[in-house]
Amino acid sequence: MPEEERLPFQAEVSRLLEIVAKSLYSEKEVFLRELISNASDACDRLRYAALTNPDLVAEAGGGAGYRIVLSVDAKARTLTIADNGIGMNRDELLENLGTIARSGTAAFVKGLGSDAKKDTALIGQFGVGFYSAFMVADHVAVLTRKAGESNGWRWTSDGKGEYTIAETGGLQRGTRIVLHLSEGEDEFLDEDRLRQIVKTHSDHIAVPIVLARAAAKEDEAPAEETLNRASALWTRPRSEIDEEQYREFYRHVAHAFDEPWMTLHYRAEGKIEYTALLFVPTAAPFDLFHPDRQHRVKLYVRRVFVSDHAEGLLPPYLRFLRGIVDSEDLPLNVSREMLQNIPLVAKIRHGLTRRVLGELAKKAESDAEGYAAFWGAFGPLLKEGAYEDFENREALLGLLRFRSTAVEGWTSLADYLGRMKEGQAAIYTIVGDDLETLKKSPQLEGFRARGVEVLLLTDPVDEFWIPAVAQYQDKLFKSVTRGGADLDTIAKPEAEGGTDADQPKADTAALIAAFKAALGDQVKDIRASNRLTDSPVCLVADEGDMDMHLERLLKQHKQLDTAAARILEINPGHRLIARLADEAQADGGAERLADMAFLLLDQARIVEGETLPDPAAFARRMAEALERGLTV
Ligand code: ADP
Ligand code: MG
């Protein structure tokens, strides 16, 4: 007997197995789709590997054609799915079927709530397809031999925390998965049922899926029946593919569980020829912001799979796309590493990008609500595009959507321009961490009072694309948290009586001088401003300085350790400022105002979300001011 090792599943795998078996799939029958999908991937991978190493498929018994064979043993109550694809060696078995290797996955699984249904769409991305076998089987054996290697392996498990692995001789190249069906799952021994499941979920698979029937009599040849069309889905005309087939293909190619939000299938003809079948998912993949920014569209060359994420095939900001591109012109023998240097790949990228952006624009036009859902999931990526894809910048800017002070839902830049006030020269923006805090920013007060719309931005990328893009049409972007966001040129609505803003303005010259003397280099400057209506003070960045939110962001990420001094703006229309202005003009008033200056500066810092440099001093001054208030 060969030696058998018994090993535990990685903790996260055990947890996933539980979720998959109990609640992931609404229909058990999809286990077959998942196993066939894996078998098909294995054939694709071997076909590619054999391009440079033909020996891999030349071995005896290897067979020329790739295929997936289903067979049933009613007596033993087993269903077997066999492929002659690339197979797995021992290490790969351990890694693929015993752990979750993908980065970030373990952390995600640990954080999964008990409400697994809600997370369903996401779980699929972790490569759990294989484990779906345990929905219908109480014992699974995987017999596999990797192409080009002589040792075969037998992996078995009951899906309950442990698996065994042992070396096994006499195996054909590829992988056989033997499912010992659980009690009550006999339907999967029925040929008609298997035929129907393959038709429903796996017809699009390009490799033949064959049902093998044991010979009825001894001298009879075993019968075989191909259950699928066995031609690549994307090569068929669109009119012959229904929505369900597109969806099943999407799930296969993207390892996804959700519905495609958009399907784009076309053939480019002319100088360069390729077919693209691309999908935009509904749910955002969990690793969308992984630093590798790798796209996930597979490259085929004349129906032969070449790469899962050929570099240069798509710009990184389109990494939310799933699907395939099949080129007629690329050489098959090109190594994956060389792909990005081929001019043809760049041409395909240009074509794909333009096409995808065009389709998104159509969607945005025809179905604003649906587009909003897409925007919610993938919006920040299009902002990355606006930042780095100069060639398509106008198209990308047209696709961006924003929260704003003027509308409830999302708005576009074009709509913003349409609402601009007379005399308004810029597109005003404010960037922060969350919408609710932003809406309360004192810097917005003067804009509100004049009915000037401000875009409210909360994506980290906003700090980068706006300065890079600088303008939309001929209007510059301008942050309201900066000096120079000048409101003087915009008239205030007339019928706005009774607000602080309409009260007589205090003469602030003496007050400003007193504050400057007290605060010294804690501030860069102190100015009277028409930016405020309700608040007495706020902080803004000087015209040429870094925006305050960006500065906080960089400090959080330890990219910056010194902060620039800010401009303190005071509101001459505010009653407190008016009283302090009077005090400043009185004899010896300036000295008495030092504490006030610090209190107001600290208050502005707090509203801005900054930490106070000296909280103890703030508390002392506050207590003293309160005490004075009591004795008045
Ligand atoms: P996914 O297909 O999303 O990666 P699965 O759970 O379906 O996740 O499969 C896990 C991994 O196991 C696959 O990525 C593949 O490396 C390996 N695998 C599964 N089935 C086969 C097979 N029939 N032949 C070769 N490798 C396989
Ligand atoms: Mg799979």
Side-chain angles (χ1 to χ4, degrees):
M1 262 302 272
E3 215 173 292
E4 186 180 83
E5 276 179 87
R6 187 165 283 276
L7 299 161
F9 284 117
Q10 185 190 18
E12 288 75 28
V13 171
S14 290
R15 173 106 174 82
L16 268 184
L17 265 163
E18 214 176 286
I19 294 171
V20 170
K22 290 213 185 99
S23 54
L24 180 55
Y25 299 90
S26 49
E27 310 160 297
K28 282 186 179 178
E29 66 184 46
V30 297
F31 80 90
L32 192 57
R33 167 187 83 193
E34 294 298 329
L35 298 182
I36 288 174
S37 171
N38 288 347
S40 158
D41 286 347
C43 293
D44 268 357
R45 268 183 269 159
L46 179 55
R47 192 187 278 126
Y48 177 75
L51 290 174
T52 45
N53 185 1
D55 289 350
L56 290 178
V57 288
E59 54 182 311
Y66 293 97
R67 39 194 252 146
I68 300 165
V69 181
L70 310 183
S71 54
V72 167
D73 183 335
K75 242 193 243 136
R77 299 187 61 254
T78 60
L79 167 63
T80 300
I81 297 99
D83 65 69
N84 54 357
I86 195 151
M88 285 176 274
N89 60 26
R90 185 176 181 279
D91 287 348
E92 287 163 342
L93 260 180
L94 293 186
E95 181 168 317
N96 294 334
L97 306 187
T99 62
I100 8 188
R102 272 175 235 181
S103 58
T105 310
F108 182 88
V109 174
K110 277 203 195 100
L112 274 181
S114 50
D115 182 11
K117 267 261 151 26
K118 212 181 71 210
D119 299 311
T120 300
L122 285 171
I123 295 173
Q125 304 159 25
F126 305 128
V128 297
F130 171 77
Y131 302 128
S132 65
F134 291 102
M135 290 193 299
V136 298
D138 49 27
H139 180 90
V140 175
V142 179
L143 297 140
T144 184
R145 182 167 67 80
K146 184 157 186 174
E149 297 188 9
S150 51
N151 299 354
W153 300 91
R154 178 190 171 85
W155 179 103
T156 68
S157 179
D158 60 4
K160 301 229 166 65
E162 281 186 336
Y163 59 93
T164 68
I165 191 161
E167 197 170 337
T168 309
L171 294 183
Q172 301 245 317
R173 177 196 82 213
T175 304
R176 291 166 64 80
I177 300 188
V178 185
L179 308 177
H180 296 259
L181 296 174
S182 314
E183 202 74 49
E185 307 296 351
D186 290 9
E187 61 182 283
F188 302 114
L189 298 170
D190 180 58
E191 292 183 352
D192 279 340
R193 181 80 173 103
L194 295 177
R195 214 173 267 128
Q196 176 231 335
I197 299 174
V198 170
K199 226 23 205 179
T200 309
H201 299 290
S202 307
D203 191 50
H204 59 79
I205 294 287
V207 180
I209 304 166
V210 174
L211 181 64
R213 235 168 295 146
K217 291 186 216 111
E218 249 172 47
D219 55 349
E220 221 177 63
E224 282 197 348
E225 174 190 348
T226 302
L227 303 183
N228 63 331
R229 297 241 316 232
S231 71
L233 184 80
W234 62 87
T235 59
R236 301 181 204 166
R238 273 201 310 224
S239 56
E240 285 175 26
I241 309 173
D242 62 31
E243 210 172 311
E244 182 158 356
Q245 287 170 316
Y246 275 129
R247 187 211 306 141
E248 290 298 332
F249 181 75
Y250 161 68
R251 291 181 174 171
H252 160 65
V253 76
H255 303 248
F257 286 67
D258 58 343
E259 304 281 324
W261 176 79
M262 182 173 100
T263 302
L264 174 58
H265 183 191
Y266 71 95
R267 194 181 156 75
E269 275 161 356
K271 275 211 198 91
I272 36 169
E273 291 187 14
Y274 63 88
T275 301
L277 175 47
L278 302 173
F279 304 92
V280 177
T282 302
F286 79 107
D287 58 354
L288 207 52
F289 295 101
H290 192 278
D292 70 13
R293 302 174 80 225
Q294 208 164 45
H295 77 77
R296 298 287 163 83
V297 170
K298 296 187 192 216
L299 176 65
Y300 283 73
V301 173
R302 293 182 290 286
R303 259 66 64 211
V304 176
F305 167 78
V306 169
S307 171
D308 279 311
H309 23 67
E311 214 163 310
L313 184 64
L314 278 171
Y317 70 88
L318 290 182
R319 62 190 178 276
F320 56 85
L321 291 172
R322 298 293 184 266
I324 65 95
V325 171
D326 187 356
S327 159
E328 296 297 326
D329 314 302
L330 281 168
L332 249 177
N333 57 3
V334 64
S335 81
R336 285 178 184 143
E337 295 68 39
M338 288 303 292
L339 275 171
Q340 59 172 317
N341 302 322
I342 299 183
L344 198 58
V345 172
K347 288 202 179 110
I348 296 177
R349 178 177 70 241
H350 289 294
L352 292 170
T353 305
R354 199 157 301 166
R355 190 74 185 233
V356 167
L357 297 182
E359 288 303 313
L360 288 175
K362 277 190 220 158
K363 274 275 213 188
E365 180 79 15
S366 67
D367 174 15
E369 209 173 299
Y371 187 75
F374 161 80
W375 181 260
F378 304 112
L381 273 70
L382 295 191
K383 291 175 175 175
E384 285 178 25
Y387 175 74
E388 67 192 6
D389 186 353
F390 188 75
E391 198 183 327
N392 293 296
R393 185 169 277 175
E394 282 309 306
L396 281 156
L397 289 176
L399 290 171
L400 303 189
R401 293 294 178 272
F402 302 87
R403 299 292 184 191
S404 107
T405 53
V407 293
E408 266 307 309
W410 296 101
T411 189
S412 67
L413 289 172
D415 289 345
Y416 181 99
L417 292 194
R419 286 188 294 264
M420 276 173 64
K421 285 270 171 299
E422 199 160 325
Q424 180 180 346
I427 299 171
Y428 290 109
T429 62
I430 184 166
V431 189
D433 296 328
D434 76 284
L435 204 57
E436 290 316 307
T437 317
L438 270 189
K439 282 182 184 162
K440 293 178 198 137
S441 301
Q443 291 93 342
L444 290 178
E445 292 171 3
F447 291 85
R448 276 223 183 82
R450 285 167 179 77
V452 175
E453 179 173 2
V454 179
L455 300 177
L456 308 167
L457 298 154
T458 54
D459 290 320
V461 64
D462 288 325
E463 292 288 10
F464 304 97
W465 74 266
I466 295 183
V469 170
Q471 66 185 75
Y472 175 65
Q473 314 239 330
D474 57 344
K475 300 287 186 240
L476 291 174
F477 289 103
K478 213 157 197 185
S479 165
V480 301
T481 61
R482 268 172 188 283
D486 191 16
L487 287 171
D488 287 342
T489 53
I490 306 164
K492 240 190 261 178
E494 278 164 21
E496 278 272 291
T499 66
D500 278 343
D502 286 340
Q503 296 196 354
K505 299 266 156 78
D507 176 5
T508 50
L511 179 64
I512 288 174
F515 273 17
K516 278 185 179 164
L519 296 176
D521 60 9
Q522 300 251 349
V523 289
K524 190 164 186 178
D525 197 5
I526 301 176
R527 290 179 196 155
S529 141
N530 55 10
R531 193 190 303 267
L532 299 164
T533 60
D534 299 333
S535 304
V537 291
C538 73
L539 285 171
V540 297
D542 200 3
E543 193 85 53
D545 285 349
M546 191 183 289
D547 221 29
M548 292 184 287
H549 176 256
L550 175 60
E551 191 177 273
R552 275 199 298 283
L553 203 72
L554 293 178
K555 273 161 101 181
Q556 268 166 25
H557 291 89
K558 309 233 177 323
Q559 301 285 319
L560 191 76
D561 41 39
T562 57
R566 297 307 180 190
I567 296 170
L568 182 68
E569 291 198 346
I570 62 176
N571 176 3
H574 196 279
R575 275 173 38 208
L576 174 61
I577 299 297
R579 279 182 60 181
L580 294 175
D582 286 346
E583 176 79 3
Q585 282 156 3
D587 252 1
E591 289 82 69
R592 290 197 295 276
L593 286 177
D595 275 349
M596 273 298 160
F598 277 102
L599 272 176
L600 286 172
L601 173 60
D602 281 348
Q603 181 184 333
R605 284 171 171 151
I606 290 170
V607 171
E608 199 47 48
E610 298 194 348
T611 48
L612 299 182
D614 189 351
F618 170 73
R620 177 181 54 74
R621 291 189 185 109
M622 176 72 117
E624 282 169 14
L626 288 172
E627 195 197 335
R628 269 202 306 279
L630 273 181
T631 56
V632 162

